[in-house]
Amino acid sequence: MIKSWLQRNLKGDPVLWGIVILFSLISIAVVYSATGTLAYKKMGGNTEYFLVKHTGLIFVGLFFMWLAHRIDYRHYSRLSLYALLVSVPLLLFTYFMGGEINGASRWMTIPVINQTFQPSDLAKLALISHVASMLSRRQQHVDDFKTTLLPVMLWVGLICGIIILSNTSTALLLFGTCLLLMFIGRVPLKQMTVMVAIGIVVGGIGLASGQRFQTVQSRIASFTDKSKPVPFQLEHSYIAIATGGVTGKGPGKSTERNILPHPYSDFIYAVIIEEYGLLGGVAVLFLYLAFLYRGLITVMNSYGAFGGLLSAGLTFSLVLQAMVNMGVAVGLGPITGLPLPLLSMGGTSLIFTGISIGIILAVSRGEREVRPMVGEPADTARIPKKTALA
């Protein structure tokens, strides 16, 4: 009975469902441990406050994931444009009038529910979906600068250019994801080189005129100049990893969580290794690689260019962010401030992560693009895999 209910209601790749649920359980356990002291100090001894809040948000994210996976993924081709048109004014409003935290205006507060929201989460999802849509519609004209590169370049430049004003790491990661999509979508390397050159110019101007230029400079200098002292965050991240050993101190026994800034988000991977050891760290890394593998299986099994590109873009976006976060924690890159997707404590970011995975699951349902949808050009329907994603 339970098996039949699951088969009726949880469509798509069952392995991907299992990976996400496992991530959710790990997240609840680790965030509870990482926020225990913080909750005790700020909530008057109520150490379960953040546990309850985070667990609730995870269930909300899983609900949105379930909703997204029930929708025919071809609808996202049109919805992505509307989402982009909403994202631009929201990004601008947040930059000029949003709440400033740690020297960056990335957040706006949603009235009534009093929940913070980063418009960059919506913009990232919308841009990846729209770039996938534009490339799938132009598979027969990928060599044409005016019809292919120009519209992609305008949207990528606009969104990444606004985001980099207050969030450099997110903008660079999003730009890299779009370049990967262009490569998978068979855009010639010559045109991609033009895209990179324009991105360097626009990104440089945006970074220099934005809020994070000095911070980016100092973080890169701290990483590259070995004569400078190790930044406070990294020093205690190294201590957490070193004292964790092979098997770890055990759940809830982290000591560096009381010292590390943001142990429940930016440096949650260090807390995982401290409590669960090298084995726990490798297990989490393996889960992300398994997520990447199942996402690429979905790409290979998709029946049209849009489904394959959409799944590839969203999969790479999540996994690349995870790799950057874990790389920072172990000292392989400068500090970025990016959370660890599916594990870090977050607000609305958990919802957008859930929607992204739901869309990947919708593609994995294997819906054939037999005919174009209403208002959709005929060349997006039923493109053979060998020509669409060769």
Side-chain angles (χ1 to χ4, degrees):
M1 183 178 177
I2 296 177
K3 183 178 179 180
S4 61
W5 184 89
L6 291 174
Q7 290 175 341
R8 289 195 309 270
N9 291 277
L10 303 184
K11 303 291 186 179
D13 187 349
V15 177
L16 201 53
W17 273 106
I19 292 172
V20 173
I21 292 172
L22 189 54
F23 265 127
S24 300
L25 295 174
I26 296 172
S27 178
I28 291 171
V30 178
V31 167
Y32 179 45
S33 174
T35 57
T37 304
L38 177 67
Y40 184 82
K41 291 179 178 179
K42 291 194 172 184
M43 307 310 300
N46 182 11
T47 56
E48 282 76 34
Y49 173 79
F50 290 109
L51 169 67
V52 174
K53 181 180 179 180
H54 180 63
T55 303
L57 284 170
I58 281 183
F59 277 105
V60 172
L62 290 173
F63 174 71
F64 275 92
M65 183 176 77
W66 179 81
L67 283 181
H69 106 288
R70 301 288 296 183
I71 300 173
D72 186 330
Y73 69 85
R74 291 176 292 176
H75 286 293
Y76 296 112
S77 178
R78 291 199 305 270
L79 291 174
S80 62
L81 177 59
Y82 301 135
L84 276 180
L85 294 175
V86 172
S87 298
V88 173
L90 284 178
L91 287 169
L92 293 173
F93 175 83
T94 303
Y95 179 71
F96 289 108
M97 303 181 66
E100 186 172 317
I101 302 176
N102 296 328
S105 301
R106 304 174 185 172
W107 293 266
M108 60 184 297
T109 302
I110 302 174
V112 183
I113 64 174
N114 196 34
Q115 176 66 53
T116 56
F117 161 61
Q118 285 196 62
S120 59
D121 290 329
L122 173 62
K124 181 167 62 175
L125 175 60
L127 181 62
I128 292 172
S129 302
H130 193 57
V131 169
S133 176
M134 288 188 289
L135 291 175
S136 68
R137 291 167 182 263
R138 295 163 175 82
Q139 279 296 293
Q140 309 304 322
H141 312 285
V142 289
D143 295 325
D144 193 312
F145 176 87
K146 185 176 180 181
T147 61
T148 302
L149 182 62
L150 185 59
V152 172
M153 181 180 65
L154 290 175
W155 274 116
V156 173
L158 177 63
I159 298 298
C160 293
I162 298 175
I163 293 177
I164 204 172
L165 293 171
S166 59
N167 195 339
T168 306
S169 51
T170 297
L172 293 178
L173 199 63
L174 182 57
F175 184 73
T177 302
C178 292
L179 286 178
L180 273 173
L181 272 181
M182 294 173 67
F183 178 75
I184 297 171
R186 302 188 304 130
V187 173
L189 291 178
K190 181 179 178 180
Q191 295 195 15
M192 290 181 62
T193 304
V194 173
M195 181 77 168
V196 171
I198 294 174
I200 293 173
V201 174
V202 173
I205 295 173
L207 181 60
S209 58
Q211 301 171 331
R212 306 296 287 172
F213 184 60
Q214 298 296 330
T215 302
V216 171
Q217 275 189 320
S218 65
R219 287 179 174 177
I220 293 177
S222 297
F223 178 71
T224 55
D225 189 352
K226 301 305 179 183
S227 64
K228 291 188 175 183
V230 177
F232 179 81
Q233 303 101 307
L234 280 181
E235 180 182 0
H236 287 278
S237 178
Y238 295 160
I239 293 172
I241 293 170
T243 55
V246 177
T247 58
K249 297 177 179 178
K253 295 182 179 180
S254 168
T255 54
E256 292 304 313
R257 66 184 177 185
N258 303 321
I259 306 172
L260 267 171
H262 310 295
Y264 44 81
S265 58
D266 300 359
F267 286 93
I268 196 170
Y269 190 62
V271 175
I272 291 173
I273 297 179
E274 183 181 9
E275 294 190 346
Y276 298 93
L278 180 62
L279 294 177
V282 170
V284 169
L285 175 61
F286 173 78
L287 280 176
Y288 281 112
L289 293 177
F291 183 92
L292 174 63
Y293 174 73
R294 299 310 301 185
L296 293 179
I297 290 294
T298 299
V299 174
M300 297 303 297
N301 291 336
S302 64
Y303 288 92
F306 177 60
L309 290 168
L310 181 61
S311 179
L314 295 176
T315 300
F316 279 122
S317 175
L318 291 171
V319 176
L320 283 176
Q321 181 175 331
M323 295 301 167
V324 170
N325 176 281
M326 292 186 289
V328 168
V330 299
L332 296 179
I335 298 170
T336 62
L338 287 171
L340 188 58
L342 292 167
L343 287 179
S344 291
M345 185 175 76
T348 52
S349 62
L350 288 172
I351 295 175
F352 286 104
T353 299
I355 294 173
S356 299
I357 299 173
I359 295 173
I360 298 172
L361 287 167
V363 178
S364 74
R365 292 170 62 183
E367 295 160 335
R368 297 174 179 271
E369 299 183 11
V370 177
R371 61 184 183 281
M373 299 177 65
V374 178
E376 185 178 34
D379 64 355
T380 65
R382 192 55 180 163
I383 301 175
K385 285 186 291 184
K386 290 184 179 180
T387 61
L389 298 173

